Amino acid sequence: MRKVSLFIAMSLDGYIADKKGGVDWLNGQDSGTETEDGYSTFIQDVDTVLMGWNTYHQIVTQLSPDQWVYPDQTSYVFTHRQLPPTDNIHFSSQAPWKILKQLKKQAGKKIWICGGRNLIRQLMEKDLIDEYNISVIPTILGSGIPLFHQHPEELKLKLVHVKTYNGIVELLYERRST
């Protein structure tokens, strides 16, 4: 079975976006310093990207309006909007966990849960995320969109890797078997 990986950054106080949905704070403590790029290594092992509408909309309107940022991966965008698919972007109003269960059975590389919070919550409730790769950014936002929503039960994780650079701490956790 393919691994499902949440790969996301959050502020030190647990937010994935500021109160206006902005992510321009996603950088290290010293803007003049070259930083390592954990994303470049991560994305090499990914062939499928899952995201909610808000994440998709932010990518195509703000972050990269002229070019799709995942041209080498198949992307699934979960939305109730009726949009035509492109060569590698599929829009779906189906329950994300149903599609993810089908994708896990197919041959391929990792499946990346790109965001947002509602999608993450739904997949956590179905216990479908295998690893949590979280980069903690050295910023306290004070408010915004929290990464984790109230979870119905305890979820035990095992820390398998830690890396630090430019004030950013990358944490990789896997689910612990109970």
Side-chain angles (χ1 to χ4, degrees), residues 132 153-158 173-178:
Y132 294 78
E153 57 188 52
E154 182 178 14
L155 178 62
K156 294 191 181 286
L157 302 173
K158 174 180 149 184
Y173 292 95
E174 292 178 348
R175 283 183 298 168
R176 273 194 269 169
S177 48
T178 54

Side-chain angles (χ1 to χ4, degrees), residues 36 162-170:
E36 297 182 38
V162 177
K163 184 177 184 179
T164 63
Y165 55 91
N166 197 16
I168 297 170
V169 180
E170 287 184 1

Side-chain angles (χ1 to χ4, degrees), residues 71-107:
D72 299 326
Q73 289 77 26
T74 301
S75 298
Y76 290 84
V77 178
F78 296 96
T79 179
H80 293 291
R81 292 168 177 83
Q82 299 295 318
L83 299 168
T86 67
D87 288 341
N88 61 346
I89 305 172
H90 305 278
F91 299 93
S92 178
S93 61
Q94 282 188 6
W97 61 270
K98 288 182 180 179
I99 289 179
L100 182 54
K101 282 187 172 185
Q102 293 171 358
L103 291 170
K104 280 186 72 138
K105 293 176 186 175
Q106 298 172 3

Side-chain angles (χ1 to χ4, degrees), residues 47-170:
D47 66 2
T48 307
V49 180
L50 275 58
M51 68 186 72
W53 170 260
N54 290 339
T55 301
Y56 169 79
H57 188 259
Q58 185 175 44
I59 291 169
V60 298
T61 61
Q62 296 172 18
L63 303 176
S64 183
D66 299 324
Q67 180 179 356
W68 182 239
V69 292
Y70 311 118
D72 299 326
Q73 289 77 26
T74 301
S75 298
Y76 290 84
V77 178
F78 296 96
T79 179
H80 293 291
R81 292 168 177 83
Q82 299 295 318
L83 299 168
T86 67
D87 288 341
N88 61 346
I89 305 172
H90 305 278
F91 299 93
S92 178
S93 61
Q94 282 188 6
W97 61 270
K98 288 182 180 179
I99 289 179
L100 182 54
K101 282 187 172 185
Q102 293 171 358
L103 291 170
K104 280 186 72 138
K105 293 176 186 175
Q106 298 172 3
K109 296 180 177 183
K110 279 186 186 178
I111 301 167
W112 173 23
I113 309 306
C114 179
R117 183 180 81 139
N118 187 39
L119 175 61
I120 295 165
R121 177 191 54 79
Q122 291 179 61
L123 299 178
M124 283 180 70
E125 286 176 359
K126 297 291 185 182
D127 199 26
L128 291 173
I129 300 175
D130 300 309
E131 57 185 29
Y132 294 78
N133 194 329
I134 300 171
S135 295
V136 180
I137 307 299
T139 299
I140 296 175
L141 292 175
S143 65
I145 300 170
L147 172 55
F148 296 113
H149 190 268
Q150 188 175 29
H151 193 61
E153 57 188 52
E154 182 178 14
L155 178 62
K156 294 191 181 286
L157 302 173
K158 174 180 149 184
L159 180 64
V160 294
H161 184 74
V162 177
K163 184 177 184 179
T164 63
Y165 55 91
N166 197 16
I168 297 170
V169 180
E170 287 184 1

Side-chain angles (χ1 to χ4, degrees), residues 29-48:
Q29 63 194 14
D30 183 5
S31 60
T33 301
E34 281 287 321
T35 61
E36 297 182 38
D37 183 8
Y39 169 80
S40 294
T41 302
F42 172 79
I43 198 70
Q44 291 175 10
D45 293 328
V46 172
D47 66 2
T48 307

